[in-house]
Structures are given as C-alpha cells and as structure tokens.
C-alpha cells in the first residue's frame, strides 16, 4: 500500500466533504489516516502460513476444543465502516491441534480487510479446518455494524450473528448441539 498516495487521497476527501485540510486540527490527519488504513487492511498483505508459523502440534486429543470471545474488528465492504464483536471457534482435532493465540491471529488475518460478516465467518472456519486437518469446525461471530447504527436505519442495539460449520459439525447434529451448548448459544 502506497501510504503517501492514501494521504493525498485523504486530503482530497477532506476538501470534498467541505473541510479545510490546512486548519490546525487536520494538518496531520491525512498521514494518520494512511497509517490507520495500513493497519486496518494489513490482512491483504499477511500470509496465512506465516501467521500460523509452525504452531500446529501433534496430539492424541479427539475431543472438542473451544475458544470463546475472540475480539473481532473489521470493515464492511459496502460502506467501509467498522463492524466489531466477538468470535467463538470450536474444532475437533484428528491428530493435530493449533496454539490458542494462533486462532486469534487467524481471525485478525481475515478481519483486517474489507469484509462481509458471512464470508469472514466461513474463511475463518475453512482456515482452521485446513490448518489442523480437523474432523470438524464451527465458528460463530456476533457483531455490531456501524453502517447500521450510525447511519441509515439507525438501529442502535442491533447485532448480527453468523455461523459456519464444517465436517462433523455439519454432518452430525449431536456434535453441532455440543458446540452450540459450549458456545453458550
Ligand atoms: Zn455496511
């Protein structure tokens, strides 16, 4: 990402919305916005293999492993406004498990870019399944969308819940029920 170019475009945007980019409070805003966008879209430039980086371990475990309330911050692709909430990931290992902190890194990898919540949910599920060759995976995201609460319909407290289930979580109703129960659903 060319940060100088993003700063120039931000300066133009400021003028276009009726601001004066040369007033004191806005002098450094274009550079700050460029920095911020570099971070918020860093998922485009991160490599999933590097993210997981060897944190997959051999294990005899074949029970369900669950990580709840992983924070999610992303940007909706329709309005480029934030949506944020929490993510729960569960999987059943076959021979391998993944470090817990890496689950959070996988969430960041896919959320730091323009997204829709449905795709984010299924991309995380697929990545977890592939990284450990899991028997099954379930992912639930509950999030609030600023494009809903700040503008348009102005629904202050609405949230959206999406889920994606793969493998045995999809095929076996009792596995899915165990996941939803552990997830507090
Ligand atoms: Zn939106």
């Amino acid at each position: 990402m060319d940060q100088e170019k993003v700063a120039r475009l931000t300066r133009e945007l400021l003028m276009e919305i009726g601001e004066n980019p040369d007033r004191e409070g806005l002098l450094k805003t274009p550079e700050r916005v460029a920095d911020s966008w570099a971070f918020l879209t860093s998922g485009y430039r991160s490599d999933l293999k590097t993210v997981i980086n060897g944190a997959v371990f051999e294990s005899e475990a074949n029970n369900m492993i669950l990580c709840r309330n992983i924070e999610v911050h992303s940007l909706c692709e329709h309005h480029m406004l934030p949506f944020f909430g929490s993510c729960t990931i569960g999987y059943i290992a076959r021979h391998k498990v993944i470090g817990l902190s890496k689950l959070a890194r996988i969430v960041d990898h896919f959320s730091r870019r323009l997204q829709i919540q449905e795709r984010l949910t299924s991309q995380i599920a697929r990545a977890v399944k592939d990284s450990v060759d899991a028997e099954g995976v379930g992912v639930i995201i509950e999030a609030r969308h600023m494009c809903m609460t700040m503008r348009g319909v102005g629904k202050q407290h609405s949230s959206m819940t999406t889920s994606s289930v793969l493998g045995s979580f999809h095929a076996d109703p009792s596995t899915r029920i165990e996941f939803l129960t552990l997830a507090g659903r």
Side-chain angles (χ1 to χ4, degrees):
M1 193 188 107
D2 181 342
Q3 283 194 225
E4 277 179 28
K5 186 168 185 182
V6 174
R8 280 201 304 278
L9 292 168
T10 304
R11 191 182 152 82
E12 277 187 47
L13 178 64
L14 284 169
M15 290 189 284
E16 204 56 38
I17 63 174
E19 263 295 354
N20 168 16
D22 294 317
R23 72 177 173 83
E24 199 184 348
L26 294 180
L27 279 178
K28 290 187 175 158
T29 295
E31 282 72 30
R32 288 193 203 100
V33 170
D35 272 351
S36 166
W37 275 96
F39 178 81
L40 297 173
T41 64
S42 57
Y44 290 123
R45 294 169 292 281
S46 94
D47 172 58
L48 191 57
K49 278 207 183 74
T50 314
V51 166
I52 294 167
N53 188 27
V56 171
F57 310 102
E58 296 293 320
S59 168
E60 292 303 304
N62 65 349
N63 49 322
M64 191 176 293
I65 298 166
L66 200 92
C67 186
R68 284 176 61 174
N69 297 327
I70 303 167
E71 280 177 51
V72 181
H73 294 90
S74 189
L75 296 160
C76 88
E77 68 182 22
H78 301 133
H79 306 93
M80 296 168 77
L81 287 171
F83 66 94
F84 59 92
S86 69
C87 177
T88 295
I89 301 174
Y91 68 98
I92 296 180
R94 231 191 290 259
H95 308 290
K96 293 186 273 186
V97 295
I98 186 166
L100 269 188
S101 67
K102 295 297 180 179
L103 292 177
R105 298 284 308 279
I106 290 172
V107 171
D108 290 343
H109 173 77
F110 289 109
S111 58
R112 288 179 185 161
R113 59 183 77 187
L114 303 186
Q115 274 289 12
I116 58 171
Q117 189 178 326
E118 296 89 332
R119 186 174 63 227
L120 174 60
T121 310
S122 59
Q123 284 175 331
I124 292 167
R126 174 52 57 194
V128 172
K129 185 156 192 324
D130 291 348
S131 67
V132 293
D133 187 29
E135 179 194 297
V137 174
V139 175
I140 298 171
I141 295 178
E142 179 164 7
R144 294 177 61 195
H145 290 246
M146 286 296 103
C147 60
M148 280 281 284
T149 58
M150 284 180 73
R151 56 169 286 288
V153 287
K155 298 289 180 235
Q156 296 295 314
H157 302 292
S158 58
S159 70
M160 179 158 114
T161 304
T162 47
S163 68
S164 176
V165 285
L166 301 174
S168 58
F169 283 53
H170 182 74
D172 182 352
S174 64
T175 302
R176 196 177 336 161
I177 288 166
E178 182 185 352
F179 170 61
L180 293 172
T181 305
L182 289 172
R185 291 277 156 187

